[in-house]
Amino acid sequence: MNKRKLDPAALLNPVPVVLVSCGSKDGKKANAFTVAWAGTICSKPPMVSISIRPERFSYGLIRQTGEFVINLVGENLLRACDYCGVRSGEKEDKLQKMGLHVYPVEELKYAPALVESPVSLVCRVLSVQEYDGTHHVFSAQVLRVYADEQYFDRNGKLCLEKAGLVCYSHGDYYSLGDKLGFFGFSVASDAVYRKRMQIKSRKRKKKS
Amino acid sequence: MNKRKLDPAALLNPVPVVLVSCGSKDGKKANAFTVAWAGTICSKPPMVSISIRPERFSYGLIRQTGEFVINLVGENLLRACDYCGVRSGEKEDKLQKMGLHVYPVEELKYAPALVESPVSLVCRVLSVQEYDGTHHVFSAQVLRVYADEQYFDRNGKLCLEKAGLVCYSHGDYYSLGDKLGFFGFSVASDAVYRKRMQIKSRKRKKKS
């Protein structure tokens, strides 16, 4: 064993890539921005958290309205997503600049969802934790999910693997690569394993 | 635009795959378990959150000790990680069963880190949010990071891309695939873009 000790750092990787959309209280402005830190925090009811720097333009919008939408990012959205992470919505209309479109969702009054996103999670803020650090943590309940029709199969199953979702690790964006297993594969029967991994032959893949 | 409306669900994908290690207050037992929901919540100071179901064996250990370690998972650890997510440490020694080893970290009294993990984040609990749902949210400060020597280059840079980290999306585990860009690539100069993407020719890759 040979370990190097490092100063504390935000090294939990890989992380999801998301575009968060929100709106102004006067209903005149919609904005989209990238948050570095977003995650699920509860399965039932589904809850998420996003962390936002107080100095960001959208911080004020979300504090005022208590609403946001988390839009998952496929490869086709990545360039726009990166742009929305480095530019501020205070100075320009990033949505227009990047050719993005929004649609209203009936569950919220101010925040719209992004047309170009494969899956959008409609969220209402439950609490804000103001830790003494760079980011404040917005915890929210997921009220509804909108998913693009093209990702459903004929049985109505959402095939998210077709959406080309992107992840972020240590400064770089990556596509998802090989399917390595499924939840519970380590204790699954051979029959279940072959079916879920779509293995035709009887020989099980080398154990990872 | 053609969107299908779905019931609220934990559809924020992809997510990191991690093994959390912890210890008992009497110092006699170390355990490792998988949490579905883990994420960074603040950059400086680095803070993370993990969500745990109260009925899980490790929930009590972490509540009592206020300590845990988040161990990132490379492909070599995936099978053990999945196993530690579906079996309980109350009934068996999962570490021994999966051939995993732990080492003590000087920052903590009870929770050890996993030898087989490329990067381990040593964490002390700051608060626990007991939302009325399946999971409670443990927010924690990262006190130190331990990283395996084999992932550093000769200049002392951590090359996390060599660790073969795994992500999880909608029920399945995936390797990281192609590098699609880097933070800020949408506004980078051609020279910076080519260098960071390790493109030899003068022609820029088709914009995504």
Side-chain angles (χ1 to χ4, degrees), chain A residues 15-22 31-39 48-54 56-59 62 68-73 80-87 94 135-138 166-168 173, chain B residues 12 40-41 43 183:
Chain A
V15 298
V17 174
V18 299
L19 258 173
V20 174
S21 48
C22 56
N31 192 37
F33 70 115
T34 311
V35 294
W37 316 128
V48 293
S49 84
I50 60 173
S51 296
I52 316 178
R53 292 177 186 266
R56 289 192 79 167
F57 175 61
S58 294
Y59 178 93
I62 296 177
F68 62 87
V69 177
I70 294 179
N71 305 279
L72 304 193
V73 170
C81 175
D82 183 69
Y83 187 88
C84 291
V86 291
R87 293 282 194 251
K94 294 189 284 187
H135 292 68
H136 291 175
V137 183
F138 291 69
V166 175
C167 68
Y168 183 78
Y173 302 103
Chain B
L12 208 180
T40 298
I41 58 171
S43 300
F183 180 72

Side-chain angles (χ1 to χ4, degrees), chain A residues 55-109:
Chain A
E55 63 268 28
R56 289 192 79 167
F57 175 61
S58 294
Y59 178 93
L61 299 183
I62 296 177
R63 279 224 83 142
Q64 285 158 28
T65 61
E67 299 181 350
F68 62 87
V69 177
I70 294 179
N71 305 279
L72 304 193
V73 170
E75 290 192 30
N76 63 322
L77 247 184
L78 180 60
R79 192 178 175 76
C81 175
D82 183 69
Y83 187 88
C84 291
V86 291
R87 293 282 194 251
S88 172
E90 198 168 3
K91 292 169 190 159
E92 64 174 319
D93 186 335
K94 294 189 284 187
L95 293 168
Q96 191 183 30
K97 170 97 178 182
M98 287 290 109
L100 300 179
H101 304 86
V102 296
Y103 60 98
V105 292
E106 64 190 46
E107 297 79 11
L108 300 180
K109 200 167 169 187

Side-chain angles (χ1 to χ4, degrees), chain A residues 181-202:
Chain A
F182 51 88
F183 180 72
F185 80 96
S186 64
V187 297
S189 69
D190 268 14
V192 168
Y193 185 86
R194 284 199 307 271
K195 189 180 171 202
R196 291 287 302 271
M197 297 300 286
Q198 298 181 299
I199 296 169
K200 292 276 162 37
S201 81
R202 291 186 62 83

Side-chain angles (χ1 to χ4, degrees), chain B residues 10 20 26 40 56 60 77 102 104-105 110 116-117 121 131 145 148 156 188 196 198:
Chain B
V20 174
D26 63 8
T40 298
R56 289 192 79 168
L77 248 184
V102 295
V105 292
Y110 308 106
E116 288 78 10
S117 169
L121 286 71
Y131 294 110
V145 175
D148 213 284
R196 291 285 303 269
Q198 297 180 300

Side-chain angles (χ1 to χ4, degrees), chain B residues 95-144:
Chain B
L95 293 167
Q96 191 184 30
K97 170 99 179 181
M98 286 290 110
L100 300 178
H101 304 86
V102 295
Y103 60 99
V105 292
E106 63 190 48
E107 297 78 13
L108 301 180
K109 201 168 169 187
Y110 308 106
L114 271 188
V115 173
E116 288 78 10
S117 169
V119 174
S120 298
L121 286 71
V122 172
C123 303
R124 175 161 292 135
V125 176
L126 292 172
S127 69
V128 184
Q129 277 97 49
E130 297 187 7
Y131 294 110
D132 189 19
T134 49
H135 292 68
H136 290 176
V137 183
F138 290 69
S139 299
Q141 187 161 351
V142 180
L143 304 178
R144 186 74 78 180

Side-chain angles (χ1 to χ4, degrees), chain B residues 5-6 17 35 42 45 64 73 84 95-96 103-104 109 125 129 131 150 154 163 168 174 194 196 207:
Chain B
K5 213 191 287 193
L6 304 178
V17 175
V35 294
C42 186
Q64 286 158 28
V73 170
C84 290
L95 293 167
Q96 191 184 30
Y103 60 99
K109 201 168 169 187
V125 176
Q129 277 97 49
Y131 294 110
Q150 65 180 303
R154 67 180 73 178
Y168 183 77
Y174 294 90
R194 283 199 306 271
R196 291 285 303 269
K207 291 176 182 181

